[in-house]
């Protein structure tokens, strides 16, 4: 296939590298003036990987979209709506709707809690059927040949089967995800649980991660069901299956950020972890659907409202006794 990857950061460059590895013709796009693109043009490398010379690098969005059968979008989740509007303003909206779109990002729109595929529908039209590519794994592991399992989720079963066949390899085994709502919410929310895990690490309370995982899944199951999705999806690769990579790995940006918040070094990060935005988006969904999200609310109070992490986490785990099934 002809695949264009829009976004040349850590994950965008990885998706280009991976698509070329499994035999596709690949174009990687970055904005004009992008430091990441300039680095790749100069040396074909970044801090994570080396791109083969067969991958075409460009800052021409028209070229990237018009030459593709499949368009992978890998940018900051909160920038998706404005990015799609820019695309349409350049007259590329129609071309994009005629491509298979894969969203390789995890998040919910801040303020509204809107899912990213819904953002695509709102900006490009209801006929577009975007697919999301989520699940566990770190670029640092993949480029060393360490395999993992991930999930492609969407509403078009035929498209999913085609993409799994074209993109699967011994490095990444794909599963089909037919509950798009649960997959998106679960994938986004695991970053919030990752922030909480990092805070526990910072406090020296890592032994509470077991309770965090058990209760984190329970509150997200309730939310997904209230939204009309399949709560069991939370126990799959998009959420629970991603806990090891997000709650324990030294590469996890959200875990590291949560730990830095406790240690007072969050200002050293060059950008805020996506889980910070997702925590705020989950509060909008909590209110809209009337579902209590105590872990997400605690993280929100700490990272957005500046509440004391020790006091908030102690209060979270010392709440009134309840049945484990609640």
């Amino acid at each position: 296939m002809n695949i264009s990857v829009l976004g040349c950061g850590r994950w965008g460059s990885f998706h280009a590298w991976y698509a070329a590895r499994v035999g596709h013709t690949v174009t990687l796009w970055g904005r004009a003036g992008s430091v990441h693109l300039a680095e790749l043009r100069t040396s074909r490398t970044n801090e994570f990987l080396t791109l083969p010379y067969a991958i075409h690098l460009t800052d021409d969005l028209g070229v990237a979209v018009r030459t593709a059968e499949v368009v992978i979008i890998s940018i900051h989740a909160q920038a998706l709506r404005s990015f799609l509007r820019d695309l349409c303003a350049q007259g590329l909206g129609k071309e994009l709707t005629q491509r298979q779109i894969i969203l390789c990002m995890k998040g919910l729109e801040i303020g509204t809690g809107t899912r990213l595929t819904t953002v695509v529908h709102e900006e490009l039209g209801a006929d577009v059927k975007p697919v999301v590519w989520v699940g566990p794994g770190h670029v640092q592991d993949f480029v060393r040949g360490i395999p993992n399992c991930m999930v492609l989720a969407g509403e078009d079963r035929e498209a999913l089967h085609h993409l799994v066949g074209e993109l699967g390899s011994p490095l990444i085994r794909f599963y089909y995800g037919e509950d798009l709502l649960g997959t998106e919410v679960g994938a986004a929310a695991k970053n919030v649980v990752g922030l909480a895990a990092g805070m526990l690490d910072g406090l020296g309370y890592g032994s509470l991660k077991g309770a965090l995982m058990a209760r984190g899944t329970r509150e997200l199951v309730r939310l997904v069901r209230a939204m009309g999705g399949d709560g069991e999806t939370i126990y799959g690769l998009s959420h629970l299956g991603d806990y090891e990579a997000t709650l324990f790995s030294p590469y996890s940006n959200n875990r590291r950020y949560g730990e830095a918040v406790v240690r007072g070094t969050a200002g050293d990060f060059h950008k805020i972890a996506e889980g910070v935005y997702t925590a705020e988006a989950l509060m909008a969904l909590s209110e809209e659907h009337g579902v209590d999200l105590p872990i997400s609310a605690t993280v929100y109070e700490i990272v957005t409202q500046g509440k004391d992490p020790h006091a908030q986490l102690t209060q979270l785990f010392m709440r009134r006794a309840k049945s484990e099934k609640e």
Side-chain angles (χ1 to χ4, degrees):
M1 296 188 299
N2 290 321
I3 297 177
S4 286
V5 181
L6 308 184
C8 60
R10 174 182 50 165
W11 278 107
S13 60
F14 166 74
H15 286 303
W17 175 90
Y18 178 76
R21 176 188 171 100
V22 297
H24 300 293
T25 300
V26 181
T27 296
L28 177 59
W29 172 87
R31 294 184 185 277
S34 163
V35 173
H36 298 305
L37 183 61
E39 181 181 32
L40 290 170
R41 279 176 161 167
T42 299
S43 64
R44 309 293 296 191
T45 65
N46 57 26
E47 62 179 307
F48 303 104
L49 50 76
T50 298
L51 292 180
Y53 281 94
I55 294 176
H56 175 59
L57 301 175
T58 185
D59 59 10
D60 188 325
L61 199 51
V63 167
V65 172
R66 293 188 177 106
T67 59
E69 299 166 74
V70 174
V71 173
I72 293 175
I73 303 179
S74 182
I75 61 174
H76 193 287
Q78 302 306 319
L80 179 61
R81 190 181 295 277
S82 61
F83 178 67
L84 294 176
R85 288 180 177 176
D86 287 345
L87 249 160
C88 292
Q90 295 181 45
L92 296 171
K94 184 177 180 180
E95 283 86 352
L96 190 59
T97 62
Q98 296 169 352
R99 300 336 186 238
Q100 175 62 69
I101 299 172
I102 304 178
L103 300 180
C104 294
M105 60 190 86
K106 303 167 184 176
L108 299 167
E109 191 172 56
I110 193 169
T112 64
T114 303
R115 293 155 45 208
L116 299 183
T117 57
T118 302
V119 171
V120 172
H121 287 148
E122 290 175 352
E123 297 301 326
L124 298 180
D127 292 337
V128 182
K129 289 183 168 53
V131 167
V132 298
W133 175 347
V134 297
H138 290 290
V139 173
Q140 295 93 326
D141 290 331
F142 283 132
V143 297
R144 291 166 52 211
I146 299 174
N148 216 321
C149 298
M150 303 187 83
V151 59
L152 287 166
E155 298 169 339
D156 185 334
R157 181 177 297 187
E158 183 178 344
L160 286 181
H161 281 252
H162 175 69
L163 289 171
V164 166
E166 291 286 350
L167 294 172
S169 75
L171 187 61
I172 300 179
R173 179 188 177 182
F174 285 102
Y175 286 80
Y176 310 109
E178 296 179 352
D179 173 29
L180 183 57
L181 185 155
T183 299
E184 285 190 87
V185 174
K190 64 91 186 177
N191 286 332
V192 178
V193 183
L195 287 172
M199 293 174 192
L200 292 176
D201 285 337
L203 292 170
Y205 291 170
S207 59
L208 280 172
K209 285 186 183 180
L212 177 68
M213 292 187 288
R215 301 311 303 172
T217 51
R218 292 296 293 175
E219 71 177 58
L220 268 299
V221 166
R222 292 195 297 268
L223 177 62
V224 168
R225 286 175 177 164
M227 294 176 68
D230 182 357
E232 294 299 309
T233 302
I234 292 300
Y235 299 115
L237 287 168
S238 66
H239 189 81
L240 179 61
D242 210 344
Y243 272 7
E244 188 281 331
T246 307
L247 276 64
F248 295 93
S249 172
Y251 301 135
S252 170
N253 192 48
N254 285 281
R255 189 206 63 78
R256 291 171 53 239
Y257 191 86
E259 185 172 1
V261 167
V262 170
R263 299 187 185 280
T265 58
D268 295 341
F269 278 67
H270 67 281
K271 66 177 182 178
I272 297 176
E274 183 60 46
V276 174
Y277 302 105
T278 305
E280 184 168 340
L282 285 172
M283 291 302 93
L285 292 178
S286 174
E287 181 176 355
E288 178 182 352
H289 296 282
V291 177
D292 186 28
L293 303 175
I295 293 172
S296 302
T298 298
V299 171
Y300 171 77
E301 291 292 332
I302 294 170
V303 298
T304 304
Q305 304 301 307
K307 298 292 183 65
D308 177 64
H310 183 273
Q312 292 296 310
L313 289 165
T314 299
Q315 179 180 329
L316 172 68
F317 287 103
M318 296 301 292
R319 295 182 304 146
R320 67 171 180 83
K322 60 166 64 177
S323 167
E324 187 179 18
K325 294 183 179 180
E326 289 184 62

